[in-house]
Amino acid sequence: MGALDVCPFVPVMNISMEECVICAHVFGQRLSEELGVPVYLYGEAARQESRRTLPAIRAGEYEALPKKLEKPEWVPDFGPPTFVPQWGATVTGARTFLIAYNINLLCTKELAHRIALNIREQGRGADQPGSLKKVQGIGWYLEEENIAQVSTNLLDFETTPLHAVYEEVCYNAEALKLPVVGSQLVGLVPKKAMLDAAEFYIKKEKLFILEEEHKIKLVVSRLGLDSLSPFNPRERIIEYLVQAGQEDKGLVTKPLGAFVRAVGGRSAAPGGGSVAATAASLGAALGCMVGLMSYGKRQFEQLDSIMRNVIPPLHQAMDELVAMVDADSRAFSSYMEAMKLPKSTPEERERRVVAMQQGLKTAVEVPCTLAVKVNNLWSSLKMLAHHGNLACKSDLQVGAKMLEAAVFGAYFNVMINLKDITDEKFKTETSQMVTRLLEEAKQGSALVLALLEKREA
C-alpha cells in the first residue's frame, strides 16, 4: 500500500517487546514529520484493536487509499489524512518473529491445499476454523523439486510451535495416506523455536540430550529440514548470525587469561558480580561433570534414571550462569552511563537521578537472580552427594563451595548497591530476600559436604 509498505520491529536479542513498541512509535512519528506521509501502527504497537492485523490495514491496498483516508475511522496514527500519490502509506509496528515454514508431501497441489485448509487458523471460513492458532497456510506445487508443499507462516511460534505444525500436517497426511518427506524453513529462525522443538522430541522419545548443538541436529533430523538443501545452523538461526557479527562478543568469549586481566584492570567492571557469576557457572559445571561421570557406564547402570533427572538442570544452569558474567557487567555499566548524563537544568538533573536509580535497581536484580538460580541446584547436588561417583568427591566439594561463594558474592554486590537506592520498600524487600538466599546457600553447601563425608565413612 506504499513505497515503504511495512516496517516491523521484532525483538531478537537483549530487547523487549515493549522497547520495540517504543521504536515503532518513534519511527512512525519521525517518518510522518520528515516526509509528510500517513503512517499506521499495527501489531503490539497498535492503538486501536481494529488495526492489530496487517491485512485489516492493507484492505483495498494502494488503490483504495484516497477514499480510505477520507473516513474518520482510518485517520492515520501519524501524519496527515491526505493521499500522497508518490508514497501511499506506511505501516509500522512491533510483532513476534514470523517463521516461514513449508512441509513437503508427495501428492497433488489440491491435496496439499486441503491439508492447509484443515490446519490454518482461518480454516475454510468463520464456520469452519482450522486446528492451529496463529498459523496461515496454503497448498502449492514446487515444480523444481517435483513435490507439493503445505506452505505456512507461523505468526507466533510460542502459541503454535514448529513441531506442532509438522506433527499436525503429518497427522492429516496419514489420514489421507500421503507421505511426508521432510520440511523447509524459509529464511531465518529464532533459536528458541528450534530448542522448543528439540524439547518436544526429547520428551516424546525419552531421549537424553544436553548440548545445544545436538538438540539442533535432532530437530533437523526429525523435521527433515535438510531434505531440499543443506541446513547450516550458523547461517539460519538468527541469534548465531547476530553473535557472529558483533565486534564486542563479551567477557565470556575471552581466553581465561584475558578475562582475569580484565578483572584485574583499573576499571569498576568487570568486578565482583562478574566473578561471582563465573564462580557459579563453574560450580554448576563441576556438578554436571560429576553427574556425567556417574552415567553411561555399566558400573553405574542402576543410576541412569537418577542421573537423567539430575544432570539437565545443572547443565542448563551452567549455560545460564555463564551468560550472567556479561549481564552483570552490562547492568553496572548502565548505572555508570546514567552518571554521565547532563545535569545543568532541573529537568536534566531529575532525568539523571531517575536513570541512576533504575541503573542501581538493575545492578541489584542481576545478582539476586544469580542467587535464586544457584539455590535451585542444591537438590541436584544432594542427589549427587548421595549417589554420584565417589572418585569425583573432591570435584563435587569444590563445586558446592564455588556455588556458595557465588551467593556470598551476590549478597555483597546487592548490599553495596542497595545503600544508594532511595526506594525504601524495594531496599527492605530486596535486603530480606538476599539475606534469606545467602542462608539457603550456606545450608545447602554444608549439607552436600556432610553427605559426602558420611559416604566416605
Side-chain angles (χ1 to χ4, degrees):
M1 59 187 286
L4 175 60
D5 183 55
V6 62
C7 179
F9 290 84
V10 181
V12 175
M13 286 177 64
N14 305 324
I15 191 167
S16 67
M17 181 62 77
E18 290 73 22
E19 290 170 300
C20 286
V21 168
I22 293 170
C23 288
H25 286 186
V26 171
F27 170 75
Q29 185 170 3
R30 185 173 174 184
L31 182 68
S32 66
E33 289 173 352
E34 295 191 11
L35 299 184
V37 297
V39 178
Y40 293 97
L41 294 170
Y42 88 110
E44 297 300 319
R47 290 172 172 167
Q48 300 178 36
E49 190 62 32
S50 60
R51 299 184 184 182
R52 283 189 69 85
T53 65
L54 201 53
I57 301 174
R58 276 178 172 161
E61 300 183 349
Y62 176 84
E63 291 75 15
L65 269 179
K67 290 186 177 180
K68 193 172 187 176
L69 286 163
E70 294 174 1
K71 299 176 180 179
E73 65 268 28
W74 285 107
V75 172
D77 291 287
F78 299 108
T82 54
F83 181 58
V84 183
Q86 66 270 39
W87 184 270
T90 292
V91 184
T92 186
R95 62 164 173 80
T96 54
F97 201 99
L98 184 150
I99 301 175
Y101 179 53
N102 304 331
I103 299 91
N104 309 327
L105 295 131
L106 300 181
C107 66
T108 64
K109 168 188 170 181
E110 290 75 15
L111 284 168
H113 189 61
R114 180 175 167 184
I115 293 175
L117 295 176
N118 289 345
I119 69 164
R120 69 184 189 183
E121 183 173 20
Q122 181 185 354
R124 291 173 170 79
D127 58 334
Q128 287 185 283
S131 57
L132 300 178
K133 300 291 185 184
K134 300 291 184 180
V135 174
Q136 299 170 332
I138 190 173
W140 62 29
Y141 204 81
L142 200 62
E143 296 289 349
E144 60 268 31
E145 299 292 344
N146 194 27
I147 58 170
Q149 288 186 321
V150 174
S151 178
T152 69
N153 284 332
L154 281 64
L155 305 181
D156 184 347
F157 72 85
E158 300 211 43
T159 299
T160 300
L162 271 179
H163 59 268
V165 178
Y166 182 79
E167 293 292 325
E168 188 70 8
V169 170
C170 288
Y171 173 78
N172 279 264
E174 185 178 358
L176 296 171
K177 307 300 182 188
L178 301 175
V180 175
V181 287
S183 61
Q184 173 191 39
L185 279 165
V186 181
L188 302 177
V189 62
K191 180 170 69 175
K192 187 177 186 302
M194 297 291 284
L195 295 180
D196 286 349
E199 292 306 322
F200 170 79
Y201 288 108
I202 288 170
K203 185 175 180 180
K204 179 183 178 183
E205 301 173 26
K206 296 181 173 60
L207 304 175
F208 184 67
I209 302 176
L210 297 174
E211 300 296 333
E212 183 174 285
E213 179 185 358
H214 294 164
K215 291 180 179 181
I216 300 296
K217 286 182 177 180
L218 175 71
V219 176
V220 172
S221 171
R222 294 298 182 269
L223 301 185
L225 293 176
D226 53 0
S227 57
L228 298 182
S229 60
F231 185 90
N232 184 345
R234 295 291 159 189
E235 296 174 357
R236 304 297 300 282
I237 295 175
I238 191 165
E239 287 87 347
Y240 293 166
L241 285 172
V242 171
Q243 289 165 352
Q246 289 176 336
E247 290 184 13
D248 180 7
K249 299 184 187 300
L251 295 168
V252 297
T253 62
K254 293 180 181 293
L256 178 59
F259 172 66
V260 171
R261 286 191 292 275
V263 172
R266 189 170 178 163
S267 172
S274 292
V275 171
T278 304
S281 62
L282 288 171
L286 282 167
C288 187
M289 183 201 82
V290 174
L292 289 170
M293 294 291 286
S294 312
Y295 170 80
K297 294 182 180 179
R298 185 177 291 276
Q299 68 188 100
F300 301 119
E301 196 170 351
Q302 75 279 8
L303 299 177
D304 275 11
S305 61
I306 294 173
M307 294 305 152
R308 279 176 172 242
N309 289 322
V310 167
I311 297 169
L314 289 163
H315 190 275
Q316 181 179 341
M318 175 182 72
D319 288 340
E320 291 175 351
L321 290 165
V322 80
M324 295 186 78
V325 173
D326 281 303
D328 185 272
S329 182
R330 284 195 302 267
F332 188 75
S333 295
S334 70
Y335 170 69
M336 298 300 290
E337 289 300 315
M339 290 185 67
K340 298 175 186 176
L341 292 173
K343 48 183 177 179
S344 302
T345 67
E347 291 78 12
E348 286 179 345
R349 285 194 289 274
E350 184 179 353
R351 279 196 295 269
R352 179 174 177 269
V353 168
V354 170
M356 287 171 61
Q357 287 295 306
Q358 185 55 52
L360 284 170
K361 285 185 176 181
T362 302
V364 162
E365 287 165 4
V366 173
C368 281
T369 302
L370 181 146
V372 170
K373 287 183 182 295
V374 167
N375 283 346
N376 286 337
L377 300 178
W378 294 118
S379 59
S380 293
L381 262 70
K382 290 170 192 173
M383 291 297 289
L384 287 172
H386 272 299
H387 304 287
N389 185 344
L390 262 180
C392 301
K393 175 187 171 183
S394 62
D395 301 296
L396 195 55
Q397 289 169 322
V398 172
K401 293 304 287 185
M402 290 287 277
L403 290 169
E404 182 187 3
V407 180
F408 265 100
Y411 172 83
F412 292 133
N413 275 278
V414 168
M415 298 306 289
I416 197 169
N417 286 315
L418 276 183
K419 66 182 177 60
D420 294 321
I421 292 176
T422 56
D423 184 338
E424 292 299 327
K425 182 182 177 185
F426 179 87
K427 286 175 69 170
T428 302
E429 291 177 350
T430 305
S431 176
Q432 290 173 349
M433 179 180 69
V434 75
T435 300
R436 187 189 73 249
L437 290 168
L438 178 58
E439 288 304 312
E440 287 179 19
K442 289 158 69 174
Q443 292 171 16
S445 175
L447 183 54
V448 169
L449 297 179
L451 289 170
L452 286 168
E453 287 305 318
K454 285 180 182 177
R455 283 191 68 190
E456 183 181 48

